[in-house]
Amino acid sequence: AQSVTQLDSQVPVFEEAPVELRCNYSSSVSVYLFWYVQYPNQGLQLLLKYLSGSTLVKGINGFEAEFNKSQTSFHLRKPSVHISDTAEYFCAVSDLRDDKIIFGKGTRLHILP
Amino acid sequence: DTEVTQTPKHLVMGMTNKKSLKCEQHMGHRAMYWYKQKAKKPPELMFVYSYEKLSINESVPSRFSPECPNSSLLNLHLHALQPEDSALYLCASSQANQEKLFFGSGTQLSVL
């Protein structure tokens, strides 16, 4: 079965500084990888996804992620964060066998003024 | 229309009550999902319907009963819930497993 690990439960970062949120996955088969964002009192919204092809994926709101098969990682990055990026970020994995999409425990991005 | 609509937004129920959560999407998606999310935790998959048939049940207790009346609607019937079932219940839909999930805003459920 597939699984996903987000090592950092929360990440504080100053406004306009760069940020990286880490995600590692485990699966015996090829996977699809996603990053979702959840703002307070809302459902989840897709930031970006990796299915195949270029390992650098660009998403909405200036976020990007790089798929690294050898390190089984899919870290999320943004070169300059804003107060509005304060939210919970979830990495998720899905394989080709069924419709199951499994979420990591989430990382709370806390923007410092 | 790219929305998933969930009703009600908030629900308070006693342990002997019967209630239902509703979810609707008009994007023609073939898969619909129920997730449960406790505070400060990730969403946990409960059920998946594919082409209106239950395809995944993550060993959810029988006090939760899903129903998919048609391709646009998904219900979650609740009966004899426990206080620990209090959580945000999220509905989602997708066209295929490699496509993104569209989430509703959720129903915040409190069981007293």
Side-chain angles (χ1 to χ4, degrees):
Chain A
Q2 69 269 33
S3 67
V4 61
T5 302
Q6 293 180 249
L7 291 171
D8 305 306
S9 60
Q10 61 177 336
V11 172
V13 61
F14 286 103
E15 195 172 13
E16 298 184 11
V19 68
E20 179 178 82
L21 305 183
R22 296 181 293 169
C23 173
N24 289 88
Y25 69 92
S26 171
S27 177
S28 58
V29 298
S30 296
V31 296
Y32 303 128
L33 293 158
F34 308 83
W35 275 100
Y36 284 84
V37 60
Q38 186 175 30
Y39 299 103
N41 304 313
Q42 294 188 27
L44 282 73
Q45 178 183 356
L46 182 74
L47 280 176
L48 48 79
K49 64 181 179 182
Y50 173 79
L51 305 181
S52 64
S54 173
T55 57
L56 183 62
V57 180
K58 293 191 183 297
I60 63 171
N61 301 343
F63 284 94
E64 64 181 31
E66 185 153 20
F67 171 67
N68 187 319
K69 188 173 182 179
S70 62
Q71 296 185 6
T72 59
S73 68
F74 190 55
H75 301 332
L76 180 71
R77 295 191 289 259
K78 186 170 182 178
S80 175
V81 296
H82 302 284
I83 287 287
S84 58
D85 293 322
T86 298
E88 191 83 21
Y89 291 80
F90 294 99
C91 184
V93 63
S94 172
D95 65 33
L96 298 167
R97 293 171 295 187
D98 59 27
D99 291 320
K100 196 178 290 191
I101 298 176
I102 304 300
F103 289 86
K105 292 185 179 221
T107 298
R108 173 157 295 278
L109 181 58
H110 182 46
I111 309 299
L112 305 169
Chain B
D1 184 1
T2 58
E3 282 193 356
V4 175
T5 304
Q6 288 188 246
T7 56
K9 292 194 182 303
H10 302 275
L11 179 63
V12 179
M13 60 186 291
M15 290 189 285
T16 58
N17 292 158
K18 283 186 181 181
K19 296 287 185 183
S20 296
L21 309 185
K22 297 187 183 302
C23 175
E24 191 168 359
Q25 58 90 11
H26 296 287
M27 294 176 278
H29 289 169
R30 64 140 182 96
M32 295 187 76
Y33 305 70
W34 280 116
Y35 281 87
K36 173 183 177 181
Q37 187 178 26
K38 302 281 272 186
K40 301 188 188 303
K41 297 289 186 185
E44 295 176 10
L45 184 63
M46 300 175 71
F47 304 104
V48 182
Y49 273 81
S50 178
Y51 296 110
E52 302 170 44
K53 292 193 187 317
L54 184 64
S55 60
I56 296 175
N57 177 342
E58 290 288 277
S59 303
V60 179
S62 59
R63 58 186 184 268
F64 295 91
S65 175
E67 178 197 19
C68 190
N70 60 54
S71 60
S72 299
L73 294 175
L74 184 66
N75 298 322
L76 186 62
H77 302 298
L78 315 173
H79 174 55
L81 294 195
Q82 304 297 311
E84 60 264 29
D85 296 321
S86 298
L88 180 68
Y89 288 83
L90 292 164
C91 175
S93 69
S94 73
Q95 183 52 33
N97 63 351
Q98 69 269 30
E99 296 299 324
K100 70 177 185 179
L101 291 172
F102 286 79
F103 280 88
S105 297
T107 295
Q108 188 65 54
L109 174 68
S110 297
V111 182
L112 304 178

